[in-house]
């Protein structure tokens, strides 16, 4: 709202990112890897309840932390291993054990120092009461190209595939 200008990108759909691959990745092949991975992963319980947080420069991303669970961590490791076996390179080198599970609220990498400080102030003023839970039953390949976001396919998880 208050940060709604072209310097801030908001996700089209709430999601928990498990892996991001380098630009130039073959989206069709990646979709096949994700489809195979998704069929082996049971629907995932996702819980939020922590205050809004952020990743510092150079990322400048406002996030809502997601509680780390064994199933979510296993899914992260499995998709990264599947991508590596297919020869895909991750865009981030953060190891799974250091990964912060989160819902991206806004990507603010284009904001200058003062505007980023204001974004942090606004985010810090958001009050979270209680926890919220949801079951995630699908995975999506999202492609970012020239600042635009598009879907490379959505795949049901585990039993939800039936």
């Amino acid at each position: 709202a208050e940060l709604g200008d072209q310097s801030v990108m908001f996700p089209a759909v709430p999601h928990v990112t498990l892996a991001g691959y380098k630009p130039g990745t073959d989206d069709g092949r990646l979709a096949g890897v994700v489809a195979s991975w998704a069929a082996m992963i049971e629907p995932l319980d996702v819980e939020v309840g922590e205050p809004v947080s952020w990743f510092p420069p150079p990322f400048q991303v406002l996030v809502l932390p997601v509680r780390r669970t064994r199933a979510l961590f296993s899914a992260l490791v499995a998709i990264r291993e599947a991508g590596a076996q297919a020869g895909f390179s991750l865009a981030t080198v953060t190891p799974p054990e250091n990964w912060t599970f989160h819902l991206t609220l806004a990507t603010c990498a284009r904001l200058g120092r003062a505007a980023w400080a204001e974004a942090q102030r606004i985010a810090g003023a958001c009050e979270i009461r209680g926890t919220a839970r949801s079951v995630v039953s699908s995975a999506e390949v999202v492609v970012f190209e020239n600042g635009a976001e598009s879907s490379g396919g959505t795949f049901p998880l585990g039993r939800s595939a039936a």
Side-chain angles (χ1 to χ4, degrees):
E2 292 182 57
L3 295 173
D5 67 27
Q6 294 184 348
S7 298
V8 178
M9 292 176 37
F10 299 96
V13 175
H15 63 277
V16 177
T17 301
L18 297 182
Y21 295 96
K22 289 186 177 179
T25 297
D26 181 332
D27 302 335
R29 280 189 53 232
L30 180 58
V33 169
V34 172
S36 296
W37 165 85
M40 298 183 308
I41 301 296
E42 293 302 320
L44 297 164
D45 290 317
V46 173
E47 180 181 311
V48 297
E50 299 290 322
V52 173
S53 186
W54 48 81
F55 299 140
F59 309 106
Q60 295 186 184
V61 178
L62 301 176
V63 300
L64 189 58
V66 169
R67 186 172 64 88
R68 177 185 293 257
T69 64
R70 186 174 302 161
L72 196 53
F73 181 78
S74 295
L76 170 89
V77 170
I79 189 59
R80 289 182 175 202
E81 287 176 351
Q85 289 172 359
F88 298 130
S89 297
L90 289 170
T92 179
V93 294
T94 304
E97 55 274 7
N98 295 340
W99 187 253
T100 300
F101 292 97
H102 63 279
L103 294 171
T104 298
L105 301 175
T107 301
C108 308
R110 296 180 185 158
L111 292 180
R113 188 174 297 163
W116 173 238
E118 178 66 3
Q120 289 173 294
R121 186 194 65 73
I122 292 168
C126 294
E127 187 176 338
I128 304 297
R129 296 180 185 185
T131 59
R133 292 182 181 89
S134 182
V135 176
V136 176
S137 60
S138 64
E140 181 178 22
V141 174
V142 178
V143 179
F144 294 94
E145 214 170 316
N146 300 322
E149 178 179 334
S150 63
S151 178
T154 300
F155 307 94
L157 297 180
R159 286 191 295 254
S160 63

